[in-house]
């Protein structure tokens, strides 16, 4: 019963096999390996974007921070949701990589931006000429940090607001596959057709050891990206091992299958909880994370049984009256089984 | 009728005379001038702080950004009011000088922090260990951007919250003299006795050409400050001309007299407006700025008569129905006369 | 006998009078003052550059660092002489403002770059693709830190090398007037006609209290410059006092007269020393600084008589055998008199 | 015949097996995995440093830049050899991570610093007080970029110079194992016993997929390091896969065996070339890289036969008279065979 995060999972055999297969003979370093050429082609085909440039890094924070640095100058601000990963979980990496840009935090239910709130935030910013930081970029997290997703149409609506101000749009797709599976959109529909300029295309949370692709739909600043990546220490010498993971991840739709499993497990857990009187869903379960409140005594039982997940927010205590509801985040991954889900549900129910 | 800002005023004769007097013979550069020694002594005496280190710069943004860089590491956040100058009017200088720290924006009426809101913001930050930016420093603006002031007791209450988290406290005192005059506190009571570690002590808005003192009540990091100042391009070679302004500003309480005049003018304007049915004060007038709403037609008359002030927020239009109230910011300075105030009041009244 | 630096001098009456004249009534802040419009026009006319954009800051370090930040991205390098002010005397301000660019130090006699050495340095840099910092910009100091000057033809030759690599060229003209007077070139000939893109046009060392103009001969990135200036804390609210200095400095050729006096004094000192058996010039005296070696006992006499200048390098000791030559830097300014020069010469001669 | 770099090699089976073994079940992320505890213990034992803190990153550039950022403030300079990797091959990562510190380049034969040259460089720096960047740290590369090594005694002598100025010392040990094998020193003798404060302990070039350990012999600033690592995007969520590599690398002395093989291959190649009249060694071959010059026609034959290595410097041409010597860098790795070496030697000899 491990629902702490999708990053606690192992990797599926296809990823491991790819590493083993890649481990023969010499290979040119720093992205000049032959497998990277395959990856580039696969991403372009997957996204119907023959001009796109593709770069691999090993962490989502690197992918996001480098992408934002490309889009937003130091004297500008990135518009994002208050609960975006770039705000809450990257220890200021966007500020570091951009050279001190701001993040302007926009409110919205279920960790989602609305076009209205985004427009208001953009309109308000930079009203003071040289005295304010300037409007820089918009960043959209899909799937969101609260387990919800934007449809392609919703992304388009946000990009349209950005376009009114000539702002580029970044998508933090650490859980991009989960969002695609949830919405049924194609990769192209969810990204460049919806106005996305740069995508952080996640691999790690969805089954890889550690690889993310940055996809530049407009290759104009590709060389700058390469320099920023190197300067950030994110250019791998034995790059083939990043390439191999990503190639296997993309092959035969593995990435979508992995995400479908995670989403299905989350749906099962969510539905199971929703059926209980004493449990309450805090956000719609649209991807692979479930946010729900249920009685403290059920949390104590779960913990005693070895279930792993986070109380969310984390500063809630298991000590105290047993009938008080505590809220929790439970994340499913490609390897979450129905048995694990059912076991947790049984504990919450008090079977 | 010039109420656009206190920074549109000329300087009083004492400041100019000091420059003239300083302009004789050679003087050692970079702060080694004899007048700087006088300034250091005067500040220490004024603040009853014999250990304090004192440095001059020429802009308030430099004073604030350098101070914050000293107090807040790049991976941390500065807690400040949403309407603080460091957030709204410095084009990201704090982010630049700190190396990419965040500003965490705290809400509060009349541009003032409350201990409760500050505590909540600090408590919420850094809850995620290494994943979040850390708690860095607190910055208090006194007088505030909305023309209100903190009493020394209020500052102490905020510093006590900071102390609970071992955070240093900065005061943006671009209008420090106005706050002192308004509250009757002594310089020491308003600063180190109230828990302030570093003060941006403003001179420019209150009558100097361009000089601010940074007062480090704890001199432990003085050398680091000197290096940061130099590296920022804020160490003046012909430093005596900064020193001369500051020395004259402090001499015989000139700084307090200038602020008293500005505050008095604002009080007169505020009282005059408050007496009108059709005008409404938007914030208490405690220092030298008046925020009020009155009918659009009065604004049109004022503009036609050459009165200068800003509609606040700036995106309101003078076009439209005359009876609709528009809000405005009117700032008084050391050289605002009662005649100017009365003339503006007459226009608003429609005399 | 004050030869420590040209920045220890007072300002001439014209500068002070301009400040007095500017100190009437209200003036729009942040560069919107009426005098700034005059300055802009005067600079454009002086440089025969009607398209140029002009910005004022208060220190040479700010002018240089902001200029370089405009020209050189963080992942590139600035080619400059090993003895350039930007390398030796700005505590890393260029690195700070550029966001971490390098300075590549080029050797050359008398603190001057040669086209050959510059070409070799540029050619060597960035040979390793993404692994190296890239070629960013060239910076030329004129007059140099060793009291020599580049002719307009020499500047052109250096710019031609830069142009071969598509690199922009910055001139650190903290002592630009001294270089012009020494060479007889026009401002245009020494700058944009010779390939200079951005000029730090010095005022402070040559008689102002604290003002430098940054001249962008290509205005394409002017707005970016304004944002960088603000963000660096270098945008003055009471800007008129910067404008007034610069306007007076330019008026009726004051700036050139001041520089001529400084150069003449240096020439007199240099010739006087050259005539002595026991003194040796270390660099040609072409502007307002004299570098010479003469016996330690003469330095001791000079010091006893109150003469001020720096042993150069500074780590030489006045203690020891009297006949050992020590080298010194002696800088003349607009207010250095022939009497001061002669008095120093008399001491060195041992009259 | 692949001598382009040690980073073109695959990984030995032990590393791959470790990844396979680690790929079971859930594991706590971000360094809280059980294998990391083993790694920490193994490093502490290997270095006889029970207090040391140990952190893993995936690239050598990250290890170096983060280490230097910990040791050197933005307003200071790192003293290193002109040919250090941090200067020549990291695209300014040290400048980026330190926030704009300088690198002061020290000359020395065979890419090695001498105590005399280091002392002169340190002594010269920071002579100008606040005007210069300050003395920050010393960085020593061992093995060097030219295939030479420092003995533990040589490292001690350099650290002693640093200690005279209270400077911390970093060792770039991307090829640390090669240096140890070459000198016979113990890990402790080569590092903290010789005055090293922070070590970049390389794994990637010597057989891992991508992992380096940063070893802080003084744990005082460990938390700061963690924040810097996270902020740089170098904290891995699925950290177990870094841990597993490093654990296998350290187990049973694998790391030393791999390095011994690389060094032996280089020695064989070096001796073979030295025996030829027409070849000349450019640096002593002490680790796993051979620098030698031999006739252009031999290079053409080698290339035709598919041998891979770099002409060094890279801008030499294979076109031209066949008897002209061209210089080359040939790097051996853990998987270089004697057959590969002998085949290359035969080509050079023209067998």
């Amino acid at each position: 019963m491990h629902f702490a995060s999708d990053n606690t999972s192992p990797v599926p055999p296809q990823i491991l096999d790819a590493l083993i297969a890649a481990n023969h003979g010499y290979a040119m370093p720093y992205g000049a390996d032959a497998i990277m050429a395959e990856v580039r082609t696969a991403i372009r085909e997957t996204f119907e974007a023959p001009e796109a440039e593709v770069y691999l890094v090993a962490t989502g924070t690197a992918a996001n921070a480098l992408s934002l640095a490309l889009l937003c100058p130091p004297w500008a601000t990135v518009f994002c949701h208050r609960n975006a990963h770039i705000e809450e979980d990257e220890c200021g990496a966007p500020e570091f990589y951009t050279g001190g840009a701001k993040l302007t935090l926009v409110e919205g239910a279920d960790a989602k931006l609305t076009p209205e709130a985004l427009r208001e935030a953009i309109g308000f910013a930079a009203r003071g000429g040289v005295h304010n930081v300037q409007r820089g970029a918009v960043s959209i997290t899909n799937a969101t940090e609260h387990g919800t997703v934007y449809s392609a149409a919703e992304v388009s609506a946000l990009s349209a607001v950005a376009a009114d101000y000539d702002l580029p749009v970044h998508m933090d797709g650490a859980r991009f596959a989960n969002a695609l599976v949830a919405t049924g959109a194609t990769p192209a529909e969810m990204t460049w057709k919806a106005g996305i300029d740069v995508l952080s295309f996640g691999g790690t949370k969805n089954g890889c050891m550690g690889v993310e692709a940055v996809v530049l739909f407009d290759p104009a600043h590709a060389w700058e990206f390469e320099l920023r990546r190197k300067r950030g220490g994110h250019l791998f010498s034995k790059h083939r091992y990043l390439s191999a993971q990503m190639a296997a991840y993309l092959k035969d739709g593995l990435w979508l299958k992995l995400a479908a499993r995670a989403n299905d497990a989350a749906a099962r857990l969510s539905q199971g909880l929703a059926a209980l009187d004493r449990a309450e869903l805090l956000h719609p379960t649209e991807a692979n994370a479930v946010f729900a409140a249920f009685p403290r005594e059920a949390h104590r039982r779960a913990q005693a049984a070895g279930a792993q997940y986070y109380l969310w927010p984390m500063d809630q205590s298991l000590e105290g009256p047993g009938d008080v509801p505590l809220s929790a985040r439970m994340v499913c991954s490609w390897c979450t089984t129905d048995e694990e889900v059912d076991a947790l549900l049984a504990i919450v129910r008090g079977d």
Side-chain angles (χ1 to χ4, degrees), chain A residues 191-213:
Chain A
T191 57
W192 65 269
K193 288 185 177 176
I196 300 298
D197 296 285
V198 175
L199 170 69
S200 297
F201 176 72
T204 311
K205 287 186 197 296
N206 192 34
C208 294
M209 282 188 179
V211 68
E212 315 276 310

Side-chain angles (χ1 to χ4, degrees), chain A residues 100-172:
Chain A
K102 278 187 193 289
L103 304 191
T104 296
L105 307 181
V106 184
E107 308 287 346
D110 300 324
K112 288 179 68 176
L113 297 168
T114 62
E116 298 70 29
L118 179 61
R119 186 177 297 278
E120 184 183 342
I122 299 177
F124 183 74
R127 68 213 166 283
V130 80
H131 299 281
N132 298 141
V133 294
Q134 306 297 297
R135 295 160 181 140
V138 172
S139 182
I140 302 170
T141 312
N142 203 15
T144 74
E145 295 298 301
H146 285 173
T148 54
V149 301
Y150 295 95
S151 69
E154 287 175 314
V155 173
S156 288
L158 293 171
S159 295
V161 175
D164 284 348
Y165 291 92
D166 280 330
L167 301 186
V169 187
H170 165 252
M171 180 171 280
D172 174 0

Side-chain angles (χ1 to χ4, degrees), chain A residues 1-3 268-269 273 298 301-303 305-307 309 336-351:
Chain A
M1 291 183 293
H2 206 106
F3 301 90
R268 185 182 188 92
L269 177 57
L273 290 170
R301 286 195 304 271
Q303 195 180 54
Y309 55 82
T336 306
T337 62
D338 286 352
E339 288 70 27
E340 284 181 286
V341 169
D342 292 346
L344 180 59
L345 285 170
I347 287 170
V348 176
R349 278 195 306 266
D351 290 355

Side-chain angles (χ1 to χ4, degrees), chain A residues 83 89 102 122 149 151 206 218 222 236 249 251 263 295 299 306 350:
Chain A
N83 296 121
D89 288 294
K102 278 187 193 289
I122 299 177
V149 301
S151 69
N206 192 34
D218 175 354
F236 273 53
Y249 182 65
K251 192 174 177 193
N263 285 11
H299 289 290

